């Protein structure tokens, strides 16, 4: 998607082996491109949220396996080192299932009988394939979700959409999940306005989603997280579209903290609440949302706010220095509050039978 007048992906390969990322910790104030030289660089990028969003975490992890393998070339214990490193990589963030899903796709290529150089090339090619699949998945989600927007547009002539956190192209390789239908609606000439939750504590809505929409010239307004209920009560929201980090077999959805509250408000006001969910985020091994591990992050993300002042990035303490803080990264939205899951294979009900069918089980 666009930064200024230039199209970028969030992660790409240069010179056939250099892995580049947009370091999202600097956005929207600075545009920084970083090279991932080692598997540990990929681990740190995921853990420190230089890359974030379930699909992008998965793709970055796939490249991380390749980078680990490249760094171990020539070692007598090559496969042993690679196996240990990959197990470590899977611990970078616990909630998004795409990390494990992508790494396991790479692990399937492991074979002691293969020459090391051949395996490294194979791992790079497979990571590239996973990245391209992500883009195609998001295009499909955009096209399918566009039909929902078009129906509202035909009735009203404008569509007001509320979203939470960032499920845009910065959370994927390109296009995004929840934002993909919005971008396609703009391309079709539909009048769309987006209410952008700031999404405390890291402000991924106000910092990232707003940044994307601004660059794509899409009408939007940043709102405090607690404003959504008021907007729904007063008829200013036509639909809610959010992303997700994991979908349980029963249709419960894990997403950025605060999603559950938006779903409750939407349900109470009879507003459709959709979750853009690539099938790679569906975890049939998790029976319900209560079984999904919820990441707890450092308290400083709550106690400090990052901003831009005097031409430099700054962090400001916003609570008493000695007051402790609790920082859950995600919450669970029960399936009963969700209108539908927008997948690349179609819109489905968040029910076990529907999910099993679309997953071919």
């Amino acid at each position: 998607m666009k930064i200024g007048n230039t199209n970028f992906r969030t992660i790409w390969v240069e010179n056939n082996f250099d892995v580049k990322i947009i370091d999202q910790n600097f956005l929207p104030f600075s545009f920084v491109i970083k090279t991932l030289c080692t598997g540990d660089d990929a681990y740190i990028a995921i853990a420190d949220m230089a890359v974030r969003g379930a699909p992008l975490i998965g793709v970055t992890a796939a490249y991380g396996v390749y980078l680990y393998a490249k760094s171990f070339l020539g070692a007598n214990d090559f496969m042993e080192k690679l196996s240990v490193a990959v197990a470590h990589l899977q611990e970078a963030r616990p909630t998004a299932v795409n990390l494990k899903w992508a790494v396991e796709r790479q692990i399937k290529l492991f074979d002691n009988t293969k020459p090391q150089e051949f395996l490294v090339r194979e791992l790079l090619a497979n990571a590239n394939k996973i990245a391209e699949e992500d883009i195609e998945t998001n295009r499909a989600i955009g096209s399918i979700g566009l039909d929902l927007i078009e129906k509202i547009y035909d009735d009203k002539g404008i569509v007001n959409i509320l979203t939470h956190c960032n499920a845009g192209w910065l959370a994927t390789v390109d296009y995004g999940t929840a934002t993909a239908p919005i971008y396609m609606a703009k391309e079709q000439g539909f009048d769309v306005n987006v209410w952008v939750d700031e999404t405390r504590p890291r402000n991924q809505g106000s910092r990232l989603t707003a940044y994307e929409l601004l660059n794509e010239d899409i009408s939007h307004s940043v709102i405090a997280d607690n404003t959504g209920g008021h907007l729904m009560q007063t008829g200013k929201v036509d639909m809610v579209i959010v992303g997700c980090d994991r979908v349980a077999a029963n249709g419960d959805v894990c997403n950025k903290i605060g999603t559950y509250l938006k779903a409750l408000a939407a349900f109470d006001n009879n507003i459709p609440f959709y979750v853009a969910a690539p099938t790679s985020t569906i975890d049939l091994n998790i029976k319900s949302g209560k079984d999904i591990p919820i990441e707890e992050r450092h308290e400083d993300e709550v106690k400090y706010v990052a901003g831009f002042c005097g031409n430099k990035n700054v962090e400001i303490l916003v609570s008493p220095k000695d007051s402790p803080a609790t920082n859950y990264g995600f919450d669970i939205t029960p399936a009963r509050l969700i209108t539908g899951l927008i997948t690349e294979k179609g819109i489905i009900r968040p029910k076990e039978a529907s999910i099993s069918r679309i997953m071919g089980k």
Side-chain angles (χ1 to χ4, degrees), residues 84-328:
V84 170
V86 166
H88 171 65
L89 180 62
Q90 292 193 72
E91 298 172 352
R93 293 193 69 186
T95 300
V97 71
N98 299 63
L99 194 161
K100 181 181 179 183
W101 168 83
V103 169
E104 287 181 345
R105 286 185 61 174
Q106 292 286 56
I107 290 173
K108 288 180 180 179
L109 300 176
F110 289 7
D111 187 342
N112 276 317
T113 66
K114 295 177 181 177
Q116 294 179 14
E117 294 84 356
F118 177 83
L119 178 58
V120 169
R121 291 195 299 271
E122 200 174 26
L123 290 170
L124 175 58
N126 200 41
N128 288 335
K129 180 181 178 182
I130 293 171
E132 293 299 327
E133 287 175 359
D134 180 68
I135 295 172
E136 292 307 312
T137 291
N138 299 333
R139 282 199 186 105
I141 287 174
S143 179
I144 292 166
L146 175 62
D147 291 339
L148 299 171
I149 295 176
E150 185 173 8
K151 290 175 183 176
I152 296 173
Y153 179 79
D154 287 343
D155 290 338
K156 300 186 63 176
I158 185 173
V159 185
N160 290 291
I161 301 170
L162 186 142
T163 191
H164 187 68
C165 196
N166 175 260
W169 68 269
L170 286 165
T172 66
V173 179
D174 208 349
Y175 283 96
T177 54
T179 59
I182 296 170
Y183 293 139
M184 291 190 177
K186 174 69 185 321
E187 291 174 0
Q188 294 296 316
F190 298 157
D191 192 0
V192 176
N193 177 68
V194 184
W195 299 110
V196 182
D197 278 358
E198 61 184 351
T199 323
R200 282 280 291 149
R202 290 184 64 100
N203 293 321
Q204 291 154 286
S206 60
R207 292 183 63 165
L208 302 180
T209 302
Y211 178 75
E212 287 189 31
L213 296 173
L214 187 65
N215 276 279
E216 294 294 330
D217 195 28
I218 292 175
S219 173
H220 66 281
S221 184
V222 177
I223 58 172
D225 287 358
N226 293 331
T227 306
H230 168 72
L231 293 173
M232 293 184 207
Q233 284 182 325
T234 54
K236 294 182 174 66
V237 177
D238 298 307
M239 65 188 305
V240 180
I241 309 178
V242 300
C244 66
D245 286 80
R246 193 182 302 218
V247 180
N250 72 337
D252 291 347
V253 165
C254 180
N255 193 48
K256 179 68 180 179
I257 194 79
T259 302
Y260 173 45
L261 297 179
K262 295 302 179 297
L264 285 171
F267 185 82
D268 191 51
N269 289 279
N270 198 31
I271 293 169
F273 183 95
Y274 288 98
V275 177
T279 54
S280 60
T281 64
I282 297 174
D283 189 350
L284 296 179
N285 295 315
I286 297 289
K287 291 184 179 180
S288 71
K290 67 181 181 180
D291 300 317
I292 297 175
I294 300 298
E295 178 182 6
E296 290 190 58
R297 298 183 59 80
H298 198 279
E299 66 173 7
D300 282 355
E301 291 182 351
V302 174
K303 296 182 67 171
Y304 289 82
V305 172
F308 190 72
C309 182
N311 294 319
K312 64 180 180 179
N313 294 337
V314 296
E315 288 194 343
I316 304 297
L317 181 67
V318 293
S319 64
K321 182 178 180 182
D322 295 327
S323 290
T326 301
N327 185 12
Y328 292 101

